Amino acid sequence: MTNIHRGEIAAEIGGETRTLCLTLGALAELESRLGAGDLVGLAERFASGRIAARDLTAILGAGLRGGGHEVSDDELARMSVEGGLRGAAEIAVRLLRATFGDAE
């Protein structure tokens, strides 16, 4: 069971419903991986509206690991995501909103 107040969301990835959460460790991973420098840089990068497939993989991968799933970004890249690319983008948006306080 996910808890939106802890920043958790559920999503269908790899044929399973999985919990994603951007913990502090997951956010630090994203800062490093995406060269954002800090949380403000990370937020600005995502607020620009421009996002690459590697960004989606990084966000979803960090969220999965933060949610307790041991999955590499390479493994994630080979998994199906409900709704395809559009679905992956929607999951990333929901996760970022849950993390940064704009939860639905």
Side-chain angles (χ1 to χ4, degrees), residues 4-53:
I4 193 69
H5 300 290
R6 288 191 303 213
E8 297 175 345
I9 66 163
E12 184 80 21
I13 299 174
E16 297 179 30
T17 300
R18 300 172 191 256
T19 298
L20 291 86
C21 183
L22 289 177
T23 61
L24 285 176
L27 288 167
E29 175 187 331
L30 276 177
E31 287 172 354
S32 175
R33 173 115 189 260
L34 299 178
D38 59 22
L39 286 175
V40 173
L42 200 59
E44 287 172 350
R45 180 180 176 125
F46 299 138
S48 74
R50 294 182 56 123
I51 191 163

Side-chain angles (χ1 to χ4, degrees), residues 63-85:
L64 284 166
R65 289 184 289 280
H69 303 281
E70 293 186 28
V71 60
S72 71
D73 287 349
D74 288 337
E75 291 169 325
L76 171 61
R78 292 188 297 273
M79 291 180 178
S80 63
V81 175
E82 183 178 26
L85 179 59

Side-chain angles (χ1 to χ4, degrees), residues 4-9 22 46 59 89-104:
I4 193 69
H5 300 290
R6 288 191 303 213
E8 297 175 345
I9 66 163
L22 289 177
F46 299 138
I59 294 166
E90 290 171 357
I91 293 167
V93 167
R94 286 191 309 130
L95 182 57
L96 291 168
R97 283 184 175 157
T99 301
F100 291 105
D102 189 17
E104 296 172 359

